Amino acid sequence: MNNNDILIRLRYALDIKDTDMIKIFKLGDLEITRDQLRVLLTKQNEEDELPRDAVCDNHTLESFLNGLITYKRGKLPLKNGVAPKPTFLINSQSNVNNVLLKKVKIALALTSDDMLDVLRLASVYASDSELSAILRKEGHRNYKECGDRYARNFLKGLAVKYRE
């Protein structure tokens, strides 16, 4: 599952309109036009030769996720008169799914039990310790890389929960 797929599935699951998507990107400190958004939301195959602006890179995806947190939860209060910078956690393609689950969990104010319920809606039965390992910081001894199957089914469960 590539970043474009994640963006498309997340948009569908949460029923986000184009104008809201542009606002969310702006809240994540990334200016994007409606035409650029349409290109990013086009279903693409792995073997297609794509123009550079058609591919959703890690920075673009994480800007959207940071903007989604701000859109759903509001801006963080100022500390010492300085607004905190959003953190960028995606440092390789291998941890994209882990960061996706963490940031969606924060944006939607989900508990671990809520996340397990969302996975159950997609017929995936994970244990609390499995989910805890996926949500840990990379480098922790109990950290586990989140596979595409979990991420895909989590987004599918969100679609069931939020679109019905």
Side-chain angles (χ1 to χ4, degrees):
M1 194 163 68
N2 64 29
N3 293 348
N4 291 71
D5 288 336
I6 291 171
L7 203 57
I8 292 166
R9 289 170 190 254
L10 192 56
R11 177 181 190 254
Y12 174 78
L14 300 177
D15 196 20
I16 304 173
K17 308 291 182 242
D18 283 353
T19 53
D20 292 334
M21 291 281 289
I22 293 169
K23 286 179 196 173
I24 290 170
F25 273 111
K26 189 172 184 172
L27 288 171
D29 292 330
L30 187 66
E31 294 287 334
I32 193 167
T33 65
R34 187 177 295 268
D35 291 334
Q36 290 171 322
L37 179 65
R38 285 198 181 113
V39 170
L40 286 176
L41 295 176
T42 303
K43 184 87 170 135
Q44 298 155 350
N45 297 328
E46 296 290 330
E47 59 274 352
D48 288 346
E49 287 286 329
L50 302 171
R52 178 147 171 70
D53 62 345
V55 177
C56 181
D57 62 357
N58 291 341
H59 181 75
T60 303
L61 178 64
E62 194 153 10
S63 293
F64 177 78
L65 294 172
N66 289 336
L68 183 65
I69 291 170
T70 305
Y71 182 75
K72 293 286 189 179
R73 309 264 323 240
K75 290 192 182 254
L76 284 174
L78 297 177
K79 290 185 179 176
N80 300 328
V82 179
K85 292 273 186 193
T87 55
F88 285 88
L89 303 173
I90 299 176
N91 51 24
S92 67
Q93 199 59 35
S94 64
N95 74 339
V96 169
N97 294 335
N98 294 70
V99 173
L100 168 72
L101 264 61
K102 285 179 195 176
K103 293 205 175 195
V104 170
K105 177 184 182 203
I106 294 168
L108 301 178
L110 299 173
T111 64
S112 293
D113 289 336
D114 293 338
M115 291 185 75
L116 291 172
D117 291 341
V118 167
L119 284 168
R120 282 188 201 105
L121 289 173
S123 300
V124 174
Y125 300 96
S127 70
D128 196 30
S129 59
E130 282 179 296
L131 182 62
S132 175
I134 288 171
L135 295 175
R136 291 195 184 276
K137 186 176 183 178
E138 191 172 14
H140 187 278
R141 66 183 176 100
N142 291 332
Y143 172 82
K144 180 182 172 192
E145 190 176 299
C146 178
D148 283 347
R149 182 180 144 255
Y150 272 138
R152 190 179 313 108
N153 283 309
F154 180 74
L155 293 173
K156 182 179 174 184
L158 281 178
V160 171
K161 181 176 180 174
Y162 288 99
R163 292 190 66 96
E164 287 187 351

